[in-house]
Each structure stands twice: as C-alpha cells, then as structure tokens.
C-alpha cells in the first residue's frame, strides 16, 4: 500500500515538474527575432464621403465600412498581377529613393470604384462586385500614378516624362517631351525625398484642368560610380549624388494643361541656390503655394504663385539662426480664405491661423511642447486636429483646438504613442496605439473618442511566451539643468549585486527619437538581454521631440554635444551598480555608426568595444541638403567639418571595432567605409569588418539573421568574461 502511495506521489511530482517546465518561457533567440512578424500598421485610404477606407494587408485589399463596423476582403493583388504584362528586365538599376511615395490605391469620386496599381499596370476595381478592368497593359512601367480629382483622367510618368490618359476613350496624351537621364519631369532626384521628405514631383489642380510639376535638371550633379558585382561581368550603375558643397539639381516649377500643350513656367526667381521644398494647390485653383528655402535652410519663404500668369509674391518668411525645419503641416480651410501654418519661431513648433494674404490672425497653440503632426481641419465645428508632445516628450497624443482660439482638448486615451489617420471630413479617424508595455491596437473612432470598430487587437502572445524583458524609462540629469531620457532593459535572470556587460544603442543624430513610449516588440535588443547584456539607449541633445533649441545644439558641429550627453548617460548607468564599467560596448547604424566611431575615438576610456554600421566618416562625403542644413557649406565651415569627422581621430582608437557596410549603399556611400578602412590601416589599428552586397542603406531579408549573429558574437567575445 505504501509503495502505491509513493508511486502516486512520484507521478504527481512528475506532473508538477512537467507543468512547470511547460510554463517556462522560451528564450528570445536570434532565430526568434528573424522569424517573428509583427502586425503591420494599417495605412487607410479614406473614401470621398469619409465613411469607409481601403487598405492593404498580406497582399490583399480590404474595405472597412463604418456602417458595418468591420472589414471585408475585396481582392488578392496576385489576381490582378496575373493578367498584367510584365515589363522586361533591365540591367540599368534605378537609384530611386526609398522615400518616394507612389499611390497603389486611390478612390474614384463615386466612392465605389478604385484605381489599383499592380505590377506596373493600372486597374479599375469595383469594390462592390469585386470585378476589375485593366486600364493599361504595356511593356513599360507607369510610375507615380494619380487620378484626377474629377475621376476622368489618370496621369503617370513613363521614364522621365509625364502622360495623361482619358479613362473614357483610353487616349494617352504625352504632356512633357524633353525628359532624359538628366532632365526629370515630374520625377524627383535622389536627395529631395531623402532629406526633404518630398514624396512626389507633380500634382493635379483641384479643378482637374492642369498639372503642376517640378523639373529637375541633374546635369551638374556629381556621380558616384556604383558597380554591380553579382554577375560574371561586372557593370556600372552610376548614381547622381550631390555631396556637401557641390551643385544641387536645378529645379523649376511648371504647369501644363491636362490635354497637353506648352508648359508655363512659374516665376520664382533664380532658384539655383534655393530648394523648392513643398508645392500645394490652393483649393480654388487660382494659385499655388510654394515653400522655398535657402540652400542652407536658414530661411523659408511661403510664396503665392498665380497659376494663370506665373507671377509670385512672398506671403510670409520664417528665419532661424540655425535652420528651419520643413514639414507637412499646411492646411487650407474649405472656404480658401484662411490656412493653418506651423512655425518654430517660439522655440517649439506651434500652429498659427493666417489669412490668404499672409496676415497672421492668431496663434492656436503655445507652450513648452511641440506639435508633431496635423491630421485634419473640421469645417463643421471649426477645429484643427493634431498630435503633440504636450503630455510628455515621450508620447504622441491627439488633441483638437478651436480655430477661434482657446485651450486644446485631449482626445486620445492611453499613455504611449497614437498614430492617427483622419478622414477628409475630420469626423472619423483610425487610431493605432501602443506603449512600451502594450503591442499595437488599431481602432476606428469618432472625434469624441468613442470606438466605431476594433480592427487590430493587441497581440502579445509572442512576448508572453518568451523571456521578454520590460523596457524601463530612466530620467538622467544632464548636469546643466536639463533632463535626458533613456531606456533600459535588464538581462534575463537579473540578480542584484551582480555586474553585467552593457551595450549602448545609439543614433544621436537630428530628426530621430530613440527613446519613446511605444511598442518595440521581439527585437535584437531582447535577444541580447537574453544573452546576459544590459541594454541602454539615450536621446542626446540634437534629437527631436524636445523643441528646436534642444535639437539645434549640434549646429555647425557634429559629435561634440552628442558625445557629452552619451557620456553623462553611461556614467549614470554605471552608478546604478549593476553594470561593469570595463565591459560597455556601443552599437549604431548610419548616424549611430558615426557616433560609435566618434565615441570610441574621442572617449576611449568609456567603451570596451564598438560596432559601427554604415557610418559617415567625414561629412563632405555626405549629401548636400542634410549636411548643409546642420553644418553649412564646407567652404564656409572648414573647422566644423574637420572637427566633426570621425576619421580625424583614428589614432585614438583602442577598443575592438567591427565595421559593417552594404557595398551598394545609396545613402551613406561605400566610399565612407573604404576611407575609414584606409585610415585605420595607415595607423596600424586592427579592426574587424563585414560587407553585404545589398543596394540599400540597411541590411534586410535573410541576411539580417547573419548580421545579428555576427554582431552578437562580436559582443560576446569582447564583453563577456571567459569568451
């Protein structure tokens, strides 16, 4: 009997052990990160009446209808592609910038049909019957397809010229005739979308009679000699790339009738030392607003141009001793008698109401916080809707403010980050919300905040099943009265009193915020935390979200303020007591790669190892618009360019260094890697290196697992004892 009882106890013990083992969380491995697919953010295309929207997900088109409070599948894109005539392959690689935006889905004015671009051909889709009609079937690609506001024509670019097609007759009209590899009509050069976030170079007039377009003359641009080495015979793939201090494209604005004819060029003066950063038709079609910036971007003129005559006048001017930031915040009121304008003249980006003659009527928002985005203007209630940092610089919350003035009203709920897409009527919006502890959820809401429908529920199953470490926000005193924000991840199995190696994740450059209250998911940082590393990241001065005075500290000199704040952060981290100060590494990509090099060479006592990916090693190798915005022209700031270049300090390198670059990087050119390697060798500085063959600034696809394994092994070898 006793033996039987003991047997039962043993079985119960096995069950308990089995249950405990099954409840044990799986480690976050590099394979976990590579195989994890986070839920995609829905990008809604709102219908003309604002009551529904189309969106793509998983290669399919879906329709959300507010009346049904749910989505339904319309069509799989592969079905459209199966009837399209594919363009022949070409050896000539198109170095089009990744920030160029081309519309794949567009509603027709009837709110039933949509224009769909699939595999470089154009289709008309009936969202009710799900039937489609193929509009074009050509051996060439129709690029940057746009539907006219009246729905009667579509426009597109073939190679370097603009065309329009009448949907009723299928007659194609060529609108421009002088396009070639140097003259780009309605086509952006490489640097404009990269550094001005300008996603297209032509626009339909509101009355559908004309198209305004930018013509880029790239003749005088310097050329970088990329080469494709993947074939038996290598071949040249040159890229027009304007380096700091060299010529930009010559850009001019023209208007051409939708049924063809001569282009009428707008009189904007001599634009050779200016940037045409934004183009907006006024709703009544009689004029166009142009935002023209000086080459070094310390002045922005808002210019009104008469569309019939080309005559122009300056409505208002923004000046700044450092630089003026460009954005997409201009909004016209439906009456066309006023517009909403954003300015950082107070030190923080705020909204102002202007008359069409350039007279400021009133300031709409104010305070030591900044407006991040403008999402809509309501003609019914007289409100403007925007997201801002009013709650916290780490968050983005939705507000509305009356155009007559008053106190802004908070609309969003839940701490964290709210990504907003609002319909044209400003009465419905899609709110995608996340925080450091909550994965994204997407809800369609009314402007009173009430939920119409839930489209994406929070999916934290993967995080709950794995050893997902919480991300903490840390406030770090700067030493001169400011607060620096950092994020911290402690390693799996963290024990008080134990000293751990740490990896400092850094970007450090302008127009990026690393530390914010938004979901990060299963990423490489979590994999490193599962390998016993402390993860630390800090936003130094120069980052966004804290106002213009905060970011403009880096004006005329890169590296100095950034490293000062990063050092303050590392010293604060080590004082917490659980990080070994002799085992701290740094990792960064792009500007972060530059920061890693600059930090290892200018603070050799601080870091025991570093990984630098795609770094700019000297700033006269980088592009005009970005570099000159912050440093000015190299001819006028020789000391700033020299002192801010990492390559000047190679002799100071002590720590192990891993350099990584794509051979075909179109942003930070491979020339940077080559010159750094040359300088390291001349100073007898040993280093490790890895090259990838991709034609991009980042490493993607299956090679990402290879990259993460490479970097993890490097930090294990150099920062973990006994390895």
């Amino acid at each position: 009997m006793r033996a039987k009882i003991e047997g039962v106890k043993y079985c119960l013990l096995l069950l308990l052990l089995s249950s405990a083992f099954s409840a044990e969380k799986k480690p976050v491995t590099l394979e976990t990160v590579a195989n994890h697919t986070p839920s995609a953010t829905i990008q809604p295309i709102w219908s003309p009446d604002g009551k529904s929207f189309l969106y793509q997900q998983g290669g399919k088109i879906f329709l959300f209808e507010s009346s049904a409070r749910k989505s339904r599948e319309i069509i799989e894109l592969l079905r459209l592609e199966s009837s399209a005539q594919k363009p022949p392959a070409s050896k000539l690689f198109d170095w089009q910038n990744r920030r160029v935006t081309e519309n794949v889905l567009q509603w027709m004015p009837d709110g039933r049909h949509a224009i769909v671009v699939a595999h470089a051909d154009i289709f008309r889709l009936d969202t009710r019957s799900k039937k489609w009609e193929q509009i074009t079937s050509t051996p060439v690609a129709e690029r940057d397809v746009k539907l006219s506001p009246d729905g009667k024509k579509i426009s597109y670019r073939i190679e370097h010229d603009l065309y329009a097609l009448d949907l009723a007759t299928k007659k194609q009209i060529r609108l421009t005739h002088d396009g070639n590899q140097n003259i780009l009509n309605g086509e952006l050069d490489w640097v404009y979308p990269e550094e001005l976030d300008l996603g297209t170079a032509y626009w339909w007039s509101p009355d559908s009679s004309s198209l305004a377009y930018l013509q880029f003359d790239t003749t005088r641009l310097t050329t970088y000699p990329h080469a494709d080495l993947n074939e038996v015979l290598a071949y040249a793939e040159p890229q027009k790339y304007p380096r700091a201090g060299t010529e930009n494209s010559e850009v001019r604005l023209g208007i051409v009738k939708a049924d063809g004819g001569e282009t009428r060029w707008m009189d904007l003066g001599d634009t050779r030392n200016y940037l045409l950063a934004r183009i907006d038709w006024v709703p009544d079609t009689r004029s166009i607003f142009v935002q023209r910036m000086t080459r070094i971007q310390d002045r922005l003129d808002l210019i009104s141009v008469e569309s019939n005559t080309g005559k122009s006048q300056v409505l208002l001017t923004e000046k700044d001793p450092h630089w003026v930031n460009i954005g997409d915040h201009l909004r016209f009121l439906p009456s066309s008698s006023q517009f909403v304008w954003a300015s950082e003249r107070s030190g923080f980006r705020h909204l102002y109401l202007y008359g069409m003659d350039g007279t400021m009527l009133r300031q709409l928002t104010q305070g030591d916080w900044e407006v991040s985005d403008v999402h809509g203007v309501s003609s019914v209630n007289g409100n403007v809707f925007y997201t801002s940092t009013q709650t916290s610089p780490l968050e983005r919350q939705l507000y509305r403010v009356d155009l007559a003035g008053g106190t802004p009203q908070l609309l969003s709920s839940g701490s964290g980050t709210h990504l907003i897409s609002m319909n044209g009527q400003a009465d419905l919006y899609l709110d995608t919300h996340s925080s450091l502890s909550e994965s994204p959820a997407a809800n369609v809401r009314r402007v009173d905040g009430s939920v119409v429908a839930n489209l994406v529920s929070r999916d934290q199953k993967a995080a709950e099943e794995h050893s997902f470490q919480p991300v903490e926000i840390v406030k770090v005193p700067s030493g001169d009265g400011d607060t620096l924000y950092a994020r911290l991840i402690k390693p799996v199995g963290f024990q008080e009193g134990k000293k751990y190696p740490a990896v400092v994740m850094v970007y450090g450059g302008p127009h990026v915020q690393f530390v914010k209250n938004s979901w990060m998911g299963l990423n490489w940082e979590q994999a490193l935390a599962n390998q016993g590393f402390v993860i630390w990241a800090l936003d130094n001065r120069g980052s966004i979200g804290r106002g213009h005075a905060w970011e403009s500290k880096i004006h005329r000199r890169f590296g100095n303020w950034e490293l000062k704040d990063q050092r303050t952060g590392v010293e604060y981290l080590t004082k917490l007591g659980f990080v070994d100060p002799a085992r701290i590494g740094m990792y960064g990509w792009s500007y972060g790669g530059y920061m890693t090099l600059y930090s290892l060479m200018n603070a050799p006592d601080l870091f025991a190892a570093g990984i630098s990916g795609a770094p700019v090693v000297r700033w006269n190798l980088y592009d005009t618009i970005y570099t000159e915005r912050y440093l000015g022209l190299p001819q006028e700031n020789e000391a700033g360019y020299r002192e801010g270049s990492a390559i000047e300090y190679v002799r100071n390198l002590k720590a192990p260094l891993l350099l990584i670059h794509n051979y075909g990087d179109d942003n930070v050119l491979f020339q940077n890697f080559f010159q750094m390697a040359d300088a390291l060798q001349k100073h007898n500085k040993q280093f490790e290196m890895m090259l990838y063959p991709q034609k991009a600034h980042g490493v993607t696809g299956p090679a990402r697992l290879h990259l993460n394994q490479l970097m993890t092994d490097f930090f294990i070898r150099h920062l973990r004892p006994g390895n």
Side-chain angles (χ1 to χ4, degrees):
M1 185 63 153
R2 183 176 178 181
K4 189 174 182 179
I5 292 172
E6 291 298 325
V8 170
K9 287 181 178 179
Y10 180 72
C11 288
L12 286 172
L13 178 61
L14 285 177
L15 283 171
L16 288 171
L17 289 173
S18 174
S19 175
F21 181 78
S22 63
E24 184 178 347
K25 293 189 175 184
K26 296 178 285 187
V28 179
T29 66
L30 298 177
E31 288 73 17
T32 305
V33 174
N35 296 326
H36 175 63
T37 305
S39 57
T41 301
I42 292 175
Q43 304 289 343
I45 310 298
W46 286 95
S47 62
D49 65 4
K51 295 178 181 178
S52 59
F53 59 77
L54 294 166
Y55 63 95
Q56 287 187 79
Q57 198 170 61
K60 300 177 180 179
I61 298 175
F62 292 85
L63 172 66
F64 169 81
E65 297 172 297
S66 58
S67 58
R69 303 166 68 93
K70 62 181 181 181
S71 298
R72 59 184 174 91
E73 182 184 333
I74 300 297
I75 198 168
E76 191 170 3
L77 286 173
L78 282 174
R79 293 178 61 194
L80 295 176
E81 293 178 0
S82 65
S83 64
Q85 180 179 333
K86 291 179 170 57
S90 171
K91 282 281 189 181
L92 184 64
F93 187 77
D94 181 7
W95 292 102
Q96 178 175 277
N97 195 287
R98 66 194 183 282
R99 296 178 188 269
V100 169
T101 54
E102 298 196 18
N103 300 314
V104 176
L105 284 171
Q106 298 171 74
W107 281 100
M108 300 193 72
D110 63 7
R112 172 173 174 169
H113 295 86
I115 294 296
V116 183
V117 180
H119 205 76
D121 272 314
I122 305 168
F123 300 80
R124 177 163 44 196
L125 172 67
D126 188 324
T127 61
R128 295 181 191 172
S129 68
K130 302 184 181 181
K131 295 180 180 179
W132 73 86
E133 172 194 4
Q134 186 162 352
I135 304 298
T136 64
S137 180
T138 60
V140 293
E142 288 88 19
R143 304 297 302 269
D144 201 3
V145 176
K146 290 186 174 72
L147 179 69
S148 63
D150 63 8
K152 295 180 180 180
K153 292 184 175 71
I154 52 175
S155 57
Y156 42 83
R157 195 181 69 250
I158 295 178
E159 294 184 340
H160 309 295
D161 278 308
L162 287 173
Y163 293 76
L165 184 143
D166 188 289
L167 288 173
T169 65
K170 302 299 189 294
K171 179 183 177 182
Q172 177 180 273
I173 303 169
R174 185 169 180 172
L175 302 179
T176 65
H177 301 268
D178 56 346
N180 55 51
Q181 290 186 347
N182 290 322
I183 304 297
L184 314 179
N185 290 310
E187 178 185 3
L188 294 157
D189 68 359
W190 183 88
V191 73
Y192 259 62
E194 177 67 29
E195 307 303 2
L196 294 177
D197 281 327
L198 187 64
T200 186
Y202 82 94
W203 304 264
W204 275 99
S205 64
D207 66 359
S208 302
S209 67
S210 306
L211 295 92
Y213 70 95
L214 294 176
Q215 182 189 78
F216 285 77
D217 183 347
T218 67
T219 304
R220 299 192 297 173
L221 295 188
T222 56
T223 301
Y224 182 79
H226 288 285
D228 190 303
L229 306 180
N230 289 317
E231 304 292 336
V232 174
L233 295 177
Y235 56 91
E237 293 180 332
Q239 177 193 358
K240 293 289 187 74
Y241 185 97
R243 294 172 178 82
T246 68
E247 297 286 348
N248 279 319
S249 297
E250 291 189 33
V251 186
R252 56 178 177 167
L253 173 65
I255 295 178
V256 63
K257 292 292 185 182
D259 54 2
E262 292 294 321
T263 293
R264 182 171 56 257
W265 298 105
M266 302 296 101
D267 182 8
L268 295 170
D270 186 352
T271 60
R272 281 179 295 182
N273 286 310
Y274 289 88
L275 307 170
L276 303 185
R278 291 292 182 273
I279 310 294
D280 292 278
W281 280 96
V282 174
D284 64 11
T285 308
R286 288 183 292 184
S287 58
I288 298 175
F289 276 13
V290 178
Q291 296 182 47
R292 184 187 67 185
M293 307 183 78
T294 54
R295 175 168 178 151
I296 61 172
Q297 300 150 75
D298 59 350
R299 174 184 173 131
L300 182 152
D301 293 320
L302 179 63
I303 302 173
S304 176
V305 189
E306 294 178 6
S307 57
N308 287 333
T309 67
K311 294 180 180 179
S312 64
Q313 63 171 328
V314 176
L315 297 181
L316 64 91
T317 297
E318 299 284 349
K319 294 181 180 180
D320 190 272
H322 305 106
W323 68 85
V324 178
N325 287 312
I326 191 71
D328 294 304
H329 309 109
L330 173 66
R331 294 292 185 279
F332 293 106
L333 272 62
S335 64
S336 294
S337 62
Q338 297 171 340
F339 62 91
V340 175
W341 179 253
S343 170
E344 292 180 308
R345 65 189 65 151
S346 68
F348 294 87
R349 185 184 303 112
H350 284 294
L351 302 181
Y352 299 79
L353 186 65
Y354 274 83
M356 295 300 288
D357 62 354
T359 301
M360 191 186 83
L361 303 177
R362 66 187 61 90
Q363 185 171 349
L364 300 176
T365 64
Q366 56 186 322
D368 291 345
W369 47 270
E370 67 177 32
V371 171
S372 305
D373 291 292
V374 178
H375 302 289
V377 177
S378 169
S379 58
V380 176
N381 300 315
N383 297 132
V384 57
F385 298 85
Y386 63 91
T387 45
S388 76
T389 62
Q390 185 171 352
T391 302
S392 164
L394 306 181
E395 301 192 356
R396 300 296 184 271
Q397 300 285 350
L398 178 65
Y399 290 81
R400 71 176 169 198
V401 66
D402 198 299
L403 289 166
T407 303
Q409 179 186 356
L410 175 65
L411 298 179
S412 51
S413 60
S415 63
T417 298
H418 293 264
L419 303 177
I420 306 296
S421 175
M422 186 166 279
N423 68 3
Q425 292 73 17
D427 58 5
L428 288 176
Y429 62 92
L430 180 67
D431 176 11
T432 303
H433 167 255
S434 75
S435 68
L436 285 169
S437 59
E438 299 170 296
S439 62
N443 292 287
V444 179
R445 297 180 182 271
R446 303 178 186 90
V447 290
D448 62 6
S450 59
V451 176
V452 175
N454 171 250
L455 286 190
V456 178
S457 300
R458 300 194 194 281
D459 182 8
Q460 303 198 181
K461 182 179 179 182
E464 291 168 351
E465 290 178 347
H466 292 83
S467 298
F468 183 83
Q469 295 299 98
V471 184
E472 306 172 34
I473 296 292
V474 181
K475 293 183 179 181
V476 179
S478 68
D480 52 13
D482 284 320
T483 297
L484 304 168
Y485 288 99
R487 54 178 163 83
L488 169 68
I489 303 176
K490 294 177 182 176
V492 170
F494 176 80
Q495 299 175 20
E496 293 288 349
K498 186 177 178 180
K499 298 282 189 178
Y500 293 91
V503 175
V504 176
M505 303 287 177
V506 67
Y507 183 78
H511 283 264
V512 169
Q513 185 177 18
F514 241 31
V515 182
K516 52 189 175 182
N517 191 7
S518 63
W519 183 248
M520 297 180 63
L522 294 178
N523 57 14
W524 181 51
E525 294 185 13
Q526 290 288 336
L528 285 177
N530 274 251
Q531 288 283 348
F533 290 94
V534 170
I535 306 301
W536 175 264
L538 176 139
D539 278 333
N540 49 250
R541 275 163 281 205
S543 59
I544 63 167
R546 304 289 297 275
H548 191 48
W550 177 273
E551 68 172 354
S552 63
K553 290 286 188 183
I554 61 173
H555 186 237
R556 305 282 289 184
R557 175 71 159 84
F558 284 153
N560 189 39
W561 271 100
E562 301 95 303
L563 178 54
K564 177 180 181 293
D565 287 347
Q566 292 296 330
R567 177 184 282 276
T568 298
V570 170
E571 290 173 349
Y572 183 92
L573 174 65
T574 56
K575 288 177 182 177
L576 295 177
F578 51 80
V579 169
D580 183 349
R583 293 187 290 147
I584 299 176
M586 179 177 268
Y587 159 80
W589 199 272
S590 194
Y591 198 100
Y594 158 73
M595 276 299 300
T596 298
L597 289 176
Y598 188 89
S599 299
L600 262 62
M601 295 170 183
N602 286 276
D605 58 314
L606 207 58
F607 300 102
I611 299 176
S612 173
V616 178
V617 304
R618 62 168 92 234
W619 287 102
N620 55 6
L621 297 180
Y622 200 53
D623 73 57
T624 50
I625 296 180
Y626 181 98
T627 314
E628 293 168 9
R629 178 190 302 148
Y630 307 114
L631 297 183
L633 296 170
Q635 301 92 319
E636 300 171 358
N637 185 21
E638 183 181 345
Y641 275 78
R642 183 181 65 255
E643 294 167 6
S645 293
I647 207 165
E648 294 291 323
Y649 308 99
V650 168
R651 62 188 179 279
N652 299 331
L653 180 68
K654 295 179 181 177
L657 169 66
L658 171 60
L659 273 179
I660 308 169
H661 218 111
N662 272 329
Y663 179 72
D665 193 330
D666 64 326
N667 183 3
V668 179
L669 302 173
F670 178 73
Q671 185 179 14
N672 287 269
F673 177 96
F674 187 90
Q675 291 193 13
M676 177 54 71
D678 181 54
L680 289 165
Q681 291 161 4
K682 286 177 178 176
H683 284 80
N684 195 28
K685 299 293 182 178
Q686 298 298 315
F687 65 100
E688 300 176 39
M689 58 173 277
M690 178 59 67
L691 296 180
Y692 290 93
Q694 297 183 10
K695 299 172 185 178
H697 185 42
V699 177
T700 59
R704 189 72 198 184
L705 177 59
H706 181 278
L707 171 66
N708 285 345
Q709 186 69 65
L710 169 78
M711 297 191 299
T712 302
D713 291 347
F714 177 84
F715 279 138
I716 287 174
R717 279 187 284 115
H718 294 292
L719 299 181
R720 283 201 334 202
N723 290 289

